[in-house]
Amino acid sequence: GTGCTDCDSSTERNEVESSPAVFEGVVYFGMDINDFGPAKGGFFAVDARTGFLRWYFDVETAATCFANPDDEVRRFDGYHSAEELGLPADFFSTRRGCDFDRRGTSCGNIWSSATIDVARRRIFTATSNCDTDEDPETPEPFPPMPPYDAAIFALDIDSGRPVWRWRPRDVDNDDLSIGGVPNLFEIEIGGELREVVGVGIKDGTYYVLDRDGVNEITGNIEPYWQTQVVPGGDIGGIIARAAVGEGKVLFSTAVGVDLNDPQSPAAWALDATSGGVLWDDPNALPSYGPTSAIPGVAFMGSIGGAMTAYDTATGARLASMPGSGPIASPATVVDGRVFFGSGTGERGGNPGRIAFQVSLLPSPISAYCVAGTDGCPESGSCEDGNPCTENEANDEGGCTSTPIADGTACNLGILSGLCQGGFCLLDASGCDDGNQCTRGIGGGSSGCRFEPVEDGSPCNVRGTPGSCLRGTCVETPREE
């Protein structure tokens, strides 16, 4: 983007939420604009030593823009002007592939990190959904979505050009985005070993495709198998990366569509070859974090504040390790120790927002050991970090969590609320997302939800008068 550091979120929406992939001196990462327009996201290849742009893939137009070898481009995106980006006035017209349509659509968002297939020299990544409508006055495009939205696709690592793409639907106004990192693995299908790529989606389904795109059984670009485990929704389904190994695909699922009625089970193991369900945990709390695994053990965090270790063969709970807040990070296992982060929040925007307040809470680091080993107590703890459950050891050597009475006072850090259905639901204080065209509503384990204000409500776009339309501020056309 422009490099702006003192403007509001209506002026500069660009953000990087994915982890970078680094290969042969180049950094690869996606950018999004948080589904807010008029703007759009894209995918970058940047020199790891200098920070200069190598190439940029524009998700909305499928164009790849190449910087010249002597260019020193440190700021770029697919919608700001050359002047705003600090580029020469003729940059877009004189650089190969850069003269694409730069109108913002609120789409092209990439939450997912990239996976690199070294042998094929391909990058696999995925995109968010793209809201569409038939109103020419809004930044959203006409249906269907542009072809690389809500899709898993492969890019050539050297040229940045697309190789193939696939998606489960052409119209998606239900926010069934793809945010997980694609998994690369091998399975036997039709009597042959196939190299495949798999990814979970917010529709509650895990999909497995050939790494070359074409299903060798059907001859079409389509999955070898797909398994839906929960209905999914805009705050549910498979949000983060799965772990694959020992013939299994292991992942957790998120809330769904209603914070007060989360979908379950929320912990899963599928057969990597067929997609069949091997086991699930109906007592697992929803999770927005990636799953990690070592031989025999899978680790899944949850919004309840615990990292759970599962036996990958049976699904039995081996341990429950409490964190200091909701866990959205993966577990990392090094030399017999388990490390993970906890806590949520957003350090930016309105300090009155719950997300900002939560980001100020301390997030201590905890170390965990195996009960009975040298220097570790004989008995472990069943505390799951959720203030709205009671926890105790069961006869099988595991832990049982029981929701406490609805209406019981609870706290998430400095924020107060009431227990309901085993979750601490916060009050409405501080619900403000900085968007002039939405209103915050309290009551949820994540603090707030936001609904569009009435269409036509006044707002402004970078100081220019506008009006709200479906939760977005649209600039009022100027009279000639």
Side-chain angles (χ1 to χ4, degrees), residues 235 255-262 288 303 420 423 425 443-449:
I235 55 172
V255 171
V257 294
D258 186 351
L259 288 163
N260 299 321
D261 186 22
Y288 290 87
I303 62 174
Q420 183 175 328
F423 294 91
L425 305 186
S445 56
S446 63
C448 304
R449 60 188 174 90

Side-chain angles (χ1 to χ4, degrees), residues 171-346:
V171 175
D172 174 19
N173 286 348
D174 295 323
D175 193 16
L176 301 178
S177 306
I178 313 175
V181 185
N183 303 110
L184 303 184
F185 54 104
E186 296 179 348
I187 54 177
E188 185 176 324
I189 294 181
E192 292 188 25
L193 196 63
R194 314 279 183 184
E195 293 185 321
V196 296
V197 55
V199 70
I201 301 183
K202 287 170 69 176
D203 63 6
T205 305
Y206 192 87
Y207 299 86
V208 172
L209 297 96
D210 197 283
R211 287 191 224 175
D212 292 323
V214 176
N215 181 318
E216 295 294 340
I217 306 301
T218 67
N220 302 317
I221 298 179
E222 62 183 358
Y224 284 119
W225 61 259
Q226 59 190 63
T227 299
Q228 185 176 37
V229 295
V230 291
D234 60 339
I235 55 172
I238 306 170
I239 297 287
R241 181 204 68 210
V244 179
E246 300 175 323
K248 301 175 182 65
V249 179
L250 305 131
F251 56 82
S252 56
T253 54
V255 171
V257 294
D258 186 351
L259 288 163
N260 299 321
D261 186 22
Q263 298 169 5
S264 64
W268 298 88
L270 305 183
D271 182 281
T273 298
S274 67
V277 175
L278 298 175
W279 55 260
D280 61 68
D281 179 4
N283 297 314
L285 291 174
S287 172
Y288 290 87
T291 296
S292 300
I294 58 174
V297 185
F299 299 88
M300 302 182 189
S302 75
I303 62 174
M307 179 67 71
T308 302
Y310 289 97
D311 184 311
T312 57
T314 66
R317 291 190 177 201
L318 302 175
S320 182
M321 297 165 279
S324 61
I327 297 170
S329 84
T332 299
V333 182
V334 182
D335 295 334
R337 294 176 174 85
V338 181
F339 300 86
F340 60 89
S342 62
T344 57
E346 178 187 13

Side-chain angles (χ1 to χ4, degrees), residues 31 124 182 186 203 275 299 343 392 429 442:
M31 182 268 285
F124 295 93
E186 296 179 348
D203 63 6
F299 299 88
E392 60 182 0
S429 63

Side-chain angles (χ1 to χ4, degrees), residues 392-450:
E392 60 182 0
N394 55 40
D395 295 337
E396 289 76 33
C399 297
T400 300
S401 297
T402 305
I404 64 177
D406 288 352
T408 303
C410 58
N411 293 89
L412 291 178
I414 61 173
L415 307 176
S416 60
L418 298 175
C419 291
Q420 183 175 328
F423 294 91
C424 186
L425 305 186
L426 305 177
D427 60 33
S429 63
C431 288
D432 182 0
D433 64 351
N435 183 351
Q436 308 160 74
C437 294
T438 60
R439 64 171 64 89
I441 300 173
S445 56
S446 63
C448 304
R449 60 188 174 90
F450 300 94

